[in-house]
Amino acid sequence: MFQNALRRLCNETLRFQTTAKYVHFLRGVRPLSVSARHLTDVKDALPFDTSLLEFLVCPLSKKQLRYEEKTNELINEELGIAYPIIDGIPNMIPTDARLIKNDPETPVEPA
């Protein structure tokens, strides 16, 4: 019993000594300074691939969507909902969609 305890104590002491060497080495390493603004600035947002319109439908009405390039959104004309496109990826979560006002006088362009 004492031999096992002594063996374990020796092993832990050796393990501590080797990690202490690495800690001393890591003290000289500094964190890389990166500007947070550099990470958040997106100069060229990824464009939306319009070939996806062939497969994408509104999760609520299961109808085809129309891509609005000016606002970068997918529009459901029937429900008056606009789904945002973020970095080329459509956000099809209904709670994140924006309600748009349907003008009866404005003609709807066919898809």
Side-chain angles (χ1 to χ4, degrees):
M1 182 170 157
F2 289 113
Q3 287 180 343
N4 287 338
L6 183 61
R7 194 174 293 141
R8 189 171 177 190
L9 180 63
C10 290
N11 286 338
E12 292 297 322
T13 305
L14 288 174
R15 189 177 303 158
F16 176 76
Q17 288 176 349
T18 56
T19 56
K21 290 177 187 176
Y22 291 118
V23 170
H24 178 68
F25 171 74
L26 290 176
R27 285 186 187 154
V29 177
R30 290 187 171 165
L32 182 63
S33 66
V34 176
S35 170
R37 182 175 178 167
H38 174 71
L39 296 175
T40 58
D41 280 350
V42 178
K43 294 178 183 174
D44 297 325
L46 295 174
F48 176 68
D49 185 9
T50 54
S51 66
L52 292 176
L53 289 174
E54 187 178 324
F55 306 105
L56 292 176
V57 295
C58 176
L60 298 175
S61 68
K62 309 298 187 247
K63 302 283 182 175
Q64 288 289 326
L65 299 168
R66 177 178 60 85
Y67 174 58
E68 182 64 42
E69 193 171 354
K70 287 185 250 176
T71 58
N72 200 30
E73 294 174 325
L74 295 176
I75 309 290
N76 181 334
E77 298 288 345
E78 184 180 288
L79 297 178
I81 296 175
Y83 295 100
I85 298 173
I86 303 165
D87 292 331
I89 302 169
N91 182 353
M92 304 294 286
I93 301 172
T95 55
D96 293 342
R98 178 178 67 88
L99 289 176
I100 56 175
K101 191 166 50 169
N102 280 341
D103 251 346
E105 297 174 7
T106 307
V108 176
E109 296 176 17

